[in-house]
């Protein structure tokens, strides 16, 4: 695995933030069976949609022609992290997730969110140099 700091980015797959966001998706899929059946088409589908949106928007943005466009997709990815944070909190409050598991997810979401912010700053700095 290569990081944004140490390698030329050839694909979104080279972005550490995309890799971490994919880990977040894996965690969300891993917990889905712990929810009551009646939540399958409510909270569970929202959780999965929001989680998948994070790496998907990072990937889509990385293919855009301009830094400004990439930054826009990073903003959308960050908003999806915030949505996911809210949905995990709802799941914790409804006792679908243990506090420790929710806290672990919150920590990963915080890391991904901070990485998106950092990447967005780099992308926008590149925009201002050109």
């Amino acid at each position: 695995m290569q990081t944004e700091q140490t390698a030329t980015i050839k694909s979104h797959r080279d972005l550490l933030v995309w890799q971490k966001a994919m880990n977040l998706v894996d965690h969300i899929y891993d917990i889905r069976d712990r929810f009551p059946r009646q939540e399958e088409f409510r909270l569970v589908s929202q959780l999965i949609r929001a989680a998948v949106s994070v790496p998907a928007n990072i990937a889509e943005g990385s293919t855009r022609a301009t830094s400004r466009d990439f930054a826009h997709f990073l903003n959308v990815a960050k908003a999806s992290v915030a949505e996911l944070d809210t949905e995990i909190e709802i799941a914790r409050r409804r006792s679908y997730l243990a506090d420790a598991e929710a806290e672990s997810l919150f920590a990963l979401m915080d890391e991904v969110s901070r990485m998106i912010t950092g990447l967005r700053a780099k992308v926008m700095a590149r925009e201002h140099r050109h």
Side-chain angles (χ1 to χ4, degrees):
M1 273 187 235
Q2 299 174 335
T3 66
E4 291 87 347
Q5 292 80 24
T6 62
T8 301
I9 304 302
K10 295 181 177 132
S11 155
H12 62 276
R13 292 175 175 272
D14 296 326
L15 295 168
L16 184 58
V17 65
W18 179 85
Q19 296 164 13
K20 294 273 187 178
M22 290 298 292
N23 290 344
L24 182 58
V25 171
D26 289 339
H27 285 293
I28 296 302
Y29 271 97
D30 289 345
I31 65 168
R32 74 174 179 218
D33 292 335
R34 298 188 197 140
F35 287 75
R37 185 163 174 81
Q38 71 266 21
E39 291 293 348
E40 183 177 349
F41 297 108
R42 296 187 295 203
L43 189 55
V44 172
S45 66
Q46 287 293 106
L47 281 163
I48 291 171
R49 187 197 58 71
V52 168
S53 177
V54 179
N57 276 290
I58 294 167
E60 185 173 354
S62 73
T63 68
R64 296 299 171 142
T66 69
S67 296
R68 184 170 287 134
D69 286 342
F70 190 6
H72 167 74
F73 280 89
L74 291 172
N75 286 339
V76 174
K78 187 164 175 139
S80 292
V81 174
E83 178 183 346
L84 188 57
D85 176 87
T86 300
E87 293 159 356
I88 293 297
E89 179 61 21
I90 291 167
R92 187 192 63 75
R93 288 178 178 214
R94 302 296 307 156
S95 299
Y96 301 153
L97 291 176
D99 288 343
E101 189 161 36
E103 290 303 321
S104 176
L105 285 165
F106 290 142
L108 180 55
M109 288 183 289
D110 183 58
E111 180 182 18
V112 169
S113 182
R114 284 185 284 109
M115 291 175 80
I116 291 169
T117 298
L119 180 56
R120 186 182 184 288
K122 288 178 187 177
V123 165
M124 290 310 294
R126 188 173 58 209
E127 171 78 15
H128 295 316
R129 284 194 304 265
H130 293 115

